[in-house]
Amino acid sequence: MATESTERILVVDDDETFVHVLSRALGARGFEVSGARDATQALAACAEHRPRYVVLDLKLGSESGLALIPRLLAVRPDLRILLLTGYASIATAVEAIKRGAHDYLAKPVDADQVVAALLGESASHVNAAVVPDAPPPLKRLEWEHIQRVLAECDGNISEAARRLGLHRRTLQRKLAKRPVREARRDVPPG
């Protein structure tokens, strides 16, 4: 999927290797790509390079990609933002869209999925959704609820802990853990 004219993409992720690999793959598809590793670099690159698209990670070290969405749109209102995360949940997807993201994908993703999402094309042939036949694990539901409350508190851990009835340190430990991944149902066990 190459573009006719060179479109600019800004890739914002705190994982330098991911930025490098995705940038090369997008460059091979005809895009002019720049990278940023935090909010400050992202805002500066957005103002300087004037990208049409932004691929943004949900977690940027201690910063939140969700909080960066409106700030990027303030610099360049016509941006098309794709939020990527290794911590996919319905709550964060809804919050991302509310804040101005155009699409949301769970990692791992490949460059074709990214391009399809950025261009607003159906990526169903690339990223077919798997409908689970069992409810998600309790730990997964807990993690999603914590993420929803944290988003409602604009990332304020103390306020989120108060609303959840948890000690602040307990909430920090829960946030440091990776969420339980849902088992893929499209691959037969064995």
PDB file of all heavy atoms in Angstrom, residues 143-171:
ATOM      1  N   TRP A 143      -8.549  -5.033  35.505  1.00  0.00           N
ATOM      2  CA  TRP A 143      -7.604  -4.127  34.867  1.00  0.00           C
ATOM      3  C   TRP A 143      -8.338  -3.096  34.017  1.00  0.00           C
ATOM      4  O   TRP A 143      -8.029  -1.906  34.050  1.00  0.00           O
ATOM      5  CB  TRP A 143      -6.610  -4.932  34.029  1.00  0.00           C
ATOM      6  CG  TRP A 143      -5.510  -4.082  33.484  1.00  0.00           C
ATOM      7  CD1 TRP A 143      -4.349  -3.740  34.109  1.00  0.00           C
ATOM      8  CD2 TRP A 143      -5.477  -3.448  32.208  1.00  0.00           C
ATOM      9  NE1 TRP A 143      -3.604  -2.926  33.290  1.00  0.00           N
ATOM     10  CE2 TRP A 143      -4.267  -2.733  32.119  1.00  0.00           C
ATOM     11  CE3 TRP A 143      -6.361  -3.413  31.136  1.00  0.00           C
ATOM     12  CZ2 TRP A 143      -3.916  -1.994  30.996  1.00  0.00           C
ATOM     13  CZ3 TRP A 143      -6.003  -2.676  30.011  1.00  0.00           C
ATOM     14  CH2 TRP A 143      -4.798  -1.983  29.960  1.00  0.00           C
ATOM     15  N   GLU A 144      -9.337  -3.532  33.240  1.00  0.00           N
ATOM     16  CA  GLU A 144     -10.104  -2.612  32.410  1.00  0.00           C
ATOM     17  C   GLU A 144     -10.856  -1.591  33.260  1.00  0.00           C
ATOM     18  O   GLU A 144     -10.921  -0.413  32.912  1.00  0.00           O
ATOM     19  CB  GLU A 144     -11.077  -3.380  31.513  1.00  0.00           C
ATOM     20  CG  GLU A 144     -10.385  -4.093  30.377  1.00  0.00           C
ATOM     21  CD  GLU A 144     -11.344  -4.768  29.417  1.00  0.00           C
ATOM     22  OE1 GLU A 144     -12.564  -4.487  29.469  1.00  0.00           O
ATOM     23  OE2 GLU A 144     -10.871  -5.585  28.609  1.00  0.00           O
ATOM     24  N   HIS A 145     -11.413  -2.047  34.394  1.00  0.00           N
ATOM     25  CA  HIS A 145     -12.125  -1.124  35.288  1.00  0.00           C
ATOM     26  C   HIS A 145     -11.156  -0.085  35.859  1.00  0.00           C
ATOM     27  O   HIS A 145     -11.466   1.110  35.914  1.00  0.00           O
ATOM     28  CB  HIS A 145     -12.822  -1.898  36.409  1.00  0.00           C
ATOM     29  CG  HIS A 145     -13.550  -1.015  37.372  1.00  0.00           C
ATOM     30  ND1 HIS A 145     -14.647  -0.258  36.999  1.00  0.00           N
ATOM     31  CD2 HIS A 145     -13.327  -0.737  38.673  1.00  0.00           C
ATOM     32  CE1 HIS A 145     -15.066   0.440  38.035  1.00  0.00           C
ATOM     33  NE2 HIS A 145     -14.284   0.172  39.067  1.00  0.00           N
ATOM     34  N   ILE A 146      -9.985  -0.522  36.270  1.00  0.00           N
ATOM     35  CA  ILE A 146      -8.978   0.405  36.795  1.00  0.00           C
ATOM     36  C   ILE A 146      -8.607   1.423  35.718  1.00  0.00           C
ATOM     37  O   ILE A 146      -8.509   2.625  35.995  1.00  0.00           O
ATOM     38  CB  ILE A 146      -7.729  -0.365  37.288  1.00  0.00           C
ATOM     39  CG1 ILE A 146      -8.059  -1.098  38.590  1.00  0.00           C
ATOM     40  CG2 ILE A 146      -6.547   0.578  37.488  1.00  0.00           C
ATOM     41  CD1 ILE A 146      -6.974  -2.058  39.053  1.00  0.00           C
ATOM     42  N   GLN A 147      -8.409   0.969  34.492  1.00  0.00           N
ATOM     43  CA  GLN A 147      -8.065   1.884  33.399  1.00  0.00           C
ATOM     44  C   GLN A 147      -9.174   2.905  33.149  1.00  0.00           C
ATOM     45  O   GLN A 147      -8.907   4.080  32.894  1.00  0.00           O
ATOM     46  CB  GLN A 147      -7.774   1.103  32.110  1.00  0.00           C
ATOM     47  CG  GLN A 147      -6.532   0.263  32.169  1.00  0.00           C
ATOM     48  CD  GLN A 147      -5.284   1.075  32.422  1.00  0.00           C
ATOM     49  OE1 GLN A 147      -5.074   2.117  31.826  1.00  0.00           O
ATOM     50  NE2 GLN A 147      -4.452   0.608  33.334  1.00  0.00           N
ATOM     51  N   ARG A 148     -10.423   2.456  33.224  1.00  0.00           N
ATOM     52  CA  ARG A 148     -11.561   3.352  33.013  1.00  0.00           C
ATOM     53  C   ARG A 148     -11.602   4.427  34.094  1.00  0.00           C
ATOM     54  O   ARG A 148     -11.736   5.615  33.812  1.00  0.00           O
ATOM     55  CB  ARG A 148     -12.863   2.538  32.990  1.00  0.00           C
ATOM     56  CG  ARG A 148     -14.090   3.334  32.655  1.00  0.00           C
ATOM     57  CD  ARG A 148     -15.351   2.483  32.464  1.00  0.00           C
ATOM     58  NE  ARG A 148     -15.417   1.250  33.198  1.00  0.00           N
ATOM     59  CZ  ARG A 148     -15.214   0.035  32.676  1.00  0.00           C
ATOM     60  NH1 ARG A 148     -14.928  -0.107  31.420  1.00  0.00           N
ATOM     61  NH2 ARG A 148     -15.304  -1.045  33.421  1.00  0.00           N
ATOM     62  N   VAL A 149     -11.447   4.021  35.371  1.00  0.00           N
ATOM     63  CA  VAL A 149     -11.466   4.973  36.481  1.00  0.00           C
ATOM     64  C   VAL A 149     -10.273   5.919  36.385  1.00  0.00           C
ATOM     65  O   VAL A 149     -10.414   7.134  36.583  1.00  0.00           O
ATOM     66  CB  VAL A 149     -11.492   4.238  37.844  1.00  0.00           C
ATOM     67  CG1 VAL A 149     -11.312   5.213  39.000  1.00  0.00           C
ATOM     68  CG2 VAL A 149     -12.800   3.468  38.002  1.00  0.00           C
ATOM     69  N   LEU A 150      -9.111   5.402  36.028  1.00  0.00           N
ATOM     70  CA  LEU A 150      -7.922   6.239  35.893  1.00  0.00           C
ATOM     71  C   LEU A 150      -8.119   7.272  34.785  1.00  0.00           C
ATOM     72  O   LEU A 150      -7.740   8.435  34.937  1.00  0.00           O
ATOM     73  CB  LEU A 150      -6.698   5.366  35.605  1.00  0.00           C
ATOM     74  CG  LEU A 150      -5.344   6.038  35.651  1.00  0.00           C
ATOM     75  CD1 LEU A 150      -5.082   6.654  37.030  1.00  0.00           C
ATOM     76  CD2 LEU A 150      -4.246   5.039  35.326  1.00  0.00           C
ATOM     77  N   ALA A 151      -8.742   6.869  33.690  1.00  0.00           N
ATOM     78  CA  ALA A 151      -9.026   7.808  32.598  1.00  0.00           C
ATOM     79  C   ALA A 151     -10.007   8.887  33.058  1.00  0.00           C
ATOM     80  O   ALA A 151      -9.855  10.062  32.717  1.00  0.00           O
ATOM     81  CB  ALA A 151      -9.580   7.064  31.387  1.00  0.00           C
ATOM     82  N   GLU A 152     -11.017   8.494  33.842  1.00  0.00           N
ATOM     83  CA  GLU A 152     -11.985   9.466  34.376  1.00  0.00           C
ATOM     84  C   GLU A 152     -11.306  10.472  35.296  1.00  0.00           C
ATOM     85  O   GLU A 152     -11.767  11.601  35.426  1.00  0.00           O
ATOM     86  CB  GLU A 152     -13.101   8.751  35.139  1.00  0.00           C
ATOM     87  CG  GLU A 152     -14.040   7.968  34.259  1.00  0.00           C
ATOM     88  CD  GLU A 152     -15.000   7.076  35.056  1.00  0.00           C
ATOM     89  OE1 GLU A 152     -14.955   7.087  36.299  1.00  0.00           O
ATOM     90  OE2 GLU A 152     -15.785   6.366  34.410  1.00  0.00           O
ATOM     91  N   CYS A 153     -10.223  10.057  35.925  1.00  0.00           N
ATOM     92  CA  CYS A 153      -9.474  10.926  36.848  1.00  0.00           C
ATOM     93  C   CYS A 153      -8.324  11.632  36.139  1.00  0.00           C
ATOM     94  O   CYS A 153      -7.442  12.192  36.803  1.00  0.00           O
ATOM     95  CB  CYS A 153      -8.937  10.106  38.025  1.00  0.00           C
ATOM     96  SG  CYS A 153     -10.204   9.371  39.037  1.00  0.00           S
ATOM     97  N   ASP A 154      -8.297  11.591  34.818  1.00  0.00           N
ATOM     98  CA  ASP A 154      -7.236  12.215  34.021  1.00  0.00           C
ATOM     99  C   ASP A 154      -5.847  11.782  34.454  1.00  0.00           C
ATOM    100  O   ASP A 154      -4.917  12.588  34.515  1.00  0.00           O
ATOM    101  CB  ASP A 154      -7.347  13.742  34.068  1.00  0.00           C
ATOM    102  CG  ASP A 154      -8.597  14.242  33.365  1.00  0.00           C
ATOM    103  OD1 ASP A 154      -8.962  13.636  32.336  1.00  0.00           O
ATOM    104  OD2 ASP A 154      -9.200  15.211  33.852  1.00  0.00           O
ATOM    105  N   GLY A 155      -5.698  10.507  34.807  1.00  0.00           N
ATOM    106  CA  GLY A 155      -4.401   9.955  35.157  1.00  0.00           C
ATOM    107  C   GLY A 155      -3.956  10.223  36.584  1.00  0.00           C
ATOM    108  O   GLY A 155      -2.862   9.850  36.966  1.00  0.00           O
ATOM    109  N   ASN A 156      -4.800  10.844  37.398  1.00  0.00           N
ATOM    110  CA  ASN A 156      -4.444  11.146  38.787  1.00  0.00           C
ATOM    111  C   ASN A 156      -4.581   9.863  39.611  1.00  0.00           C
ATOM    112  O   ASN A 156      -5.686   9.414  39.918  1.00  0.00           O
ATOM    113  CB  ASN A 156      -5.356  12.245  39.330  1.00  0.00           C
ATOM    114  CG  ASN A 156      -4.996  12.672  40.729  1.00  0.00           C
ATOM    115  OD1 ASN A 156      -4.592  11.857  41.555  1.00  0.00           O
ATOM    116  ND2 ASN A 156      -5.167  13.951  40.995  1.00  0.00           N
ATOM    117  N   ILE A 157      -3.442   9.281  39.968  1.00  0.00           N
ATOM    118  CA  ILE A 157      -3.427   7.995  40.669  1.00  0.00           C
ATOM    119  C   ILE A 157      -4.047   8.102  42.058  1.00  0.00           C
ATOM    120  O   ILE A 157      -4.792   7.224  42.483  1.00  0.00           O
ATOM    121  CB  ILE A 157      -2.005   7.414  40.727  1.00  0.00           C
ATOM    122  CG1 ILE A 157      -1.571   7.026  39.313  1.00  0.00           C
ATOM    123  CG2 ILE A 157      -1.924   6.205  41.652  1.00  0.00           C
ATOM    124  CD1 ILE A 157      -0.164   6.523  39.198  1.00  0.00           C
ATOM    125  N   SER A 158      -3.782   9.188  42.759  1.00  0.00           N
ATOM    126  CA  SER A 158      -4.347   9.351  44.104  1.00  0.00           C
ATOM    127  C   SER A 158      -5.869   9.396  44.066  1.00  0.00           C
ATOM    128  O   SER A 158      -6.541   8.736  44.861  1.00  0.00           O
ATOM    129  CB  SER A 158      -3.801  10.623  44.764  1.00  0.00           C
ATOM    130  OG  SER A 158      -2.415  10.527  44.945  1.00  0.00           O
ATOM    131  N   GLU A 159      -6.414  10.165  43.129  1.00  0.00           N
ATOM    132  CA  GLU A 159      -7.875  10.265  43.002  1.00  0.00           C
ATOM    133  C   GLU A 159      -8.474   8.930  42.560  1.00  0.00           C
ATOM    134  O   GLU A 159      -9.507   8.494  43.068  1.00  0.00           O
ATOM    135  CB  GLU A 159      -8.248  11.370  42.018  1.00  0.00           C
ATOM    136  CG  GLU A 159      -9.732  11.494  41.750  1.00  0.00           C
ATOM    137  CD  GLU A 159     -10.567  11.856  42.979  1.00  0.00           C
ATOM    138  OE1 GLU A 159     -10.016  12.351  43.980  1.00  0.00           O
ATOM    139  OE2 GLU A 159     -11.799  11.642  42.942  1.00  0.00           O
ATOM    140  N   ALA A 160      -7.814   8.258  41.613  1.00  0.00           N
ATOM    141  CA  ALA A 160      -8.312   6.959  41.152  1.00  0.00           C
ATOM    142  C   ALA A 160      -8.299   5.947  42.297  1.00  0.00           C
ATOM    143  O   ALA A 160      -9.247   5.177  42.463  1.00  0.00           O
ATOM    144  CB  ALA A 160      -7.480   6.452  39.977  1.00  0.00           C
ATOM    145  N   ALA A 161      -7.231   5.948  43.096  1.00  0.00           N
ATOM    146  CA  ALA A 161      -7.144   5.029  44.234  1.00  0.00           C
ATOM    147  C   ALA A 161      -8.279   5.305  45.219  1.00  0.00           C
ATOM    148  O   ALA A 161      -8.896   4.371  45.734  1.00  0.00           O
ATOM    149  CB  ALA A 161      -5.784   5.174  44.933  1.00  0.00           C
ATOM    150  N   ARG A 162      -8.566   6.575  45.466  1.00  0.00           N
ATOM    151  CA  ARG A 162      -9.659   6.931  46.377  1.00  0.00           C
ATOM    152  C   ARG A 162     -10.992   6.411  45.843  1.00  0.00           C
ATOM    153  O   ARG A 162     -11.765   5.790  46.564  1.00  0.00           O
ATOM    154  CB  ARG A 162      -9.728   8.453  46.566  1.00  0.00           C
ATOM    155  CG  ARG A 162     -10.734   8.883  47.631  1.00  0.00           C
ATOM    156  CD  ARG A 162     -10.904  10.383  47.699  1.00  0.00           C
ATOM    157  NE  ARG A 162     -11.475  10.981  46.493  1.00  0.00           N
ATOM    158  CZ  ARG A 162     -12.753  10.845  46.125  1.00  0.00           C
ATOM    159  NH1 ARG A 162     -13.585  10.137  46.848  1.00  0.00           N
ATOM    160  NH2 ARG A 162     -13.193  11.422  45.024  1.00  0.00           N
ATOM    161  N   ARG A 163     -11.248   6.619  44.553  1.00  0.00           N
ATOM    162  CA  ARG A 163     -12.517   6.165  43.952  1.00  0.00           C
ATOM    163  C   ARG A 163     -12.633   4.642  43.938  1.00  0.00           C
ATOM    164  O   ARG A 163     -13.726   4.105  44.034  1.00  0.00           O
ATOM    165  CB  ARG A 163     -12.649   6.688  42.528  1.00  0.00           C
ATOM    166  CG  ARG A 163     -12.915   8.163  42.456  1.00  0.00           C
ATOM    167  CD  ARG A 163     -13.169   8.596  41.037  1.00  0.00           C
ATOM    168  NE  ARG A 163     -13.261  10.038  40.930  1.00  0.00           N
ATOM    169  CZ  ARG A 163     -13.525  10.661  39.790  1.00  0.00           C
ATOM    170  NH1 ARG A 163     -13.726   9.980  38.682  1.00  0.00           N
ATOM    171  NH2 ARG A 163     -13.585  11.968  39.768  1.00  0.00           N
ATOM    172  N   LEU A 164     -11.498   3.972  43.798  1.00  0.00           N
ATOM    173  CA  LEU A 164     -11.515   2.505  43.758  1.00  0.00           C
ATOM    174  C   LEU A 164     -11.488   1.879  45.146  1.00  0.00           C
ATOM    175  O   LEU A 164     -11.653   0.668  45.282  1.00  0.00           O
ATOM    176  CB  LEU A 164     -10.309   1.992  42.952  1.00  0.00           C
ATOM    177  CG  LEU A 164     -10.354   2.264  41.449  1.00  0.00           C
ATOM    178  CD1 LEU A 164      -8.984   2.031  40.826  1.00  0.00           C
ATOM    179  CD2 LEU A 164     -11.404   1.391  40.781  1.00  0.00           C
ATOM    180  N   GLY A 165     -11.239   2.693  46.164  1.00  0.00           N
ATOM    181  CA  GLY A 165     -11.163   2.166  47.524  1.00  0.00           C
ATOM    182  C   GLY A 165      -9.883   1.390  47.766  1.00  0.00           C
ATOM    183  O   GLY A 165      -9.864   0.443  48.555  1.00  0.00           O
ATOM    184  N   LEU A 166      -8.809   1.804  47.084  1.00  0.00           N
ATOM    185  CA  LEU A 166      -7.515   1.140  47.221  1.00  0.00           C
ATOM    186  C   LEU A 166      -6.501   2.102  47.810  1.00  0.00           C
ATOM    187  O   LEU A 166      -6.640   3.316  47.696  1.00  0.00           O
ATOM    188  CB  LEU A 166      -6.992   0.691  45.849  1.00  0.00           C
ATOM    189  CG  LEU A 166      -7.791  -0.349  45.079  1.00  0.00           C
ATOM    190  CD1 LEU A 166      -7.207  -0.519  43.686  1.00  0.00           C
ATOM    191  CD2 LEU A 166      -7.776  -1.669  45.816  1.00  0.00           C
ATOM    192  N   HIS A 167      -5.457   1.545  48.398  1.00  0.00           N
ATOM    193  CA  HIS A 167      -4.331   2.362  48.818  1.00  0.00           C
ATOM    194  C   HIS A 167      -3.576   2.760  47.553  1.00  0.00           C
ATOM    195  O   HIS A 167      -3.522   1.998  46.581  1.00  0.00           O
ATOM    196  CB  HIS A 167      -3.421   1.564  49.764  1.00  0.00           C
ATOM    197  CG  HIS A 167      -2.369   2.396  50.415  1.00  0.00           C
ATOM    198  ND1 HIS A 167      -1.184   2.677  49.785  1.00  0.00           N
ATOM    199  CD2 HIS A 167      -2.343   3.018  51.620  1.00  0.00           C
ATOM    200  CE1 HIS A 167      -0.454   3.436  50.584  1.00  0.00           C
ATOM    201  NE2 HIS A 167      -1.139   3.655  51.708  1.00  0.00           N
ATOM    202  N   ARG A 168      -2.995   3.934  47.542  1.00  0.00           N
ATOM    203  CA  ARG A 168      -2.288   4.443  46.359  1.00  0.00           C
ATOM    204  C   ARG A 168      -1.197   3.476  45.892  1.00  0.00           C
ATOM    205  O   ARG A 168      -1.055   3.208  44.703  1.00  0.00           O
ATOM    206  CB  ARG A 168      -1.686   5.805  46.684  1.00  0.00           C
ATOM    207  CG  ARG A 168      -1.078   6.502  45.501  1.00  0.00           C
ATOM    208  CD  ARG A 168      -0.633   7.930  45.896  1.00  0.00           C
ATOM    209  NE  ARG A 168      -0.292   8.712  44.736  1.00  0.00           N
ATOM    210  CZ  ARG A 168       0.876   8.658  44.115  1.00  0.00           C
ATOM    211  NH1 ARG A 168       1.812   7.852  44.545  1.00  0.00           N
ATOM    212  NH2 ARG A 168       1.110   9.416  43.064  1.00  0.00           N
ATOM    213  N   ARG A 169      -0.414   2.927  46.816  1.00  0.00           N
ATOM    214  CA  ARG A 169       0.660   1.996  46.434  1.00  0.00           C
ATOM    215  C   ARG A 169       0.101   0.710  45.837  1.00  0.00           C
ATOM    216  O   ARG A 169       0.689   0.130  44.926  1.00  0.00           O
ATOM    217  CB  ARG A 169       1.542   1.667  47.635  1.00  0.00           C
ATOM    218  CG  ARG A 169       2.462   2.791  47.984  1.00  0.00           C
ATOM    219  CD  ARG A 169       3.419   2.351  49.049  1.00  0.00           C
ATOM    220  NE  ARG A 169       4.305   3.432  49.398  1.00  0.00           N
ATOM    221  CZ  ARG A 169       5.192   3.371  50.352  1.00  0.00           C
ATOM    222  NH1 ARG A 169       5.309   2.272  51.081  1.00  0.00           N
ATOM    223  NH2 ARG A 169       5.965   4.392  50.607  1.00  0.00           N
ATOM    224  N   THR A 170      -1.023   0.244  46.357  1.00  0.00           N
ATOM    225  CA  THR A 170      -1.658  -0.960  45.804  1.00  0.00           C
ATOM    226  C   THR A 170      -2.062  -0.703  44.361  1.00  0.00           C
ATOM    227  O   THR A 170      -1.830  -1.542  43.480  1.00  0.00           O
ATOM    228  CB  THR A 170      -2.890  -1.356  46.640  1.00  0.00           C
ATOM    229  OG1 THR A 170      -2.481  -1.577  47.988  1.00  0.00           O
ATOM    230  CG2 THR A 170      -3.565  -2.599  46.084  1.00  0.00           C
ATOM    231  N   LEU A 171      -2.642   0.468  44.109  1.00  0.00           N
ATOM    232  CA  LEU A 171      -3.026   0.808  42.743  1.00  0.00           C
ATOM    233  C   LEU A 171      -1.801   0.912  41.845  1.00  0.00           C
ATOM    234  O   LEU A 171      -1.808   0.411  40.718  1.00  0.00           O
ATOM    235  CB  LEU A 171      -3.816   2.121  42.714  1.00  0.00           C
ATOM    236  CG  LEU A 171      -4.248   2.588  41.320  1.00  0.00           C
ATOM    237  CD1 LEU A 171      -5.073   1.516  40.605  1.00  0.00           C
ATOM    238  CD2 LEU A 171      -5.024   3.888  41.420  1.00  0.00           C
TER     239      LEU A 171
END
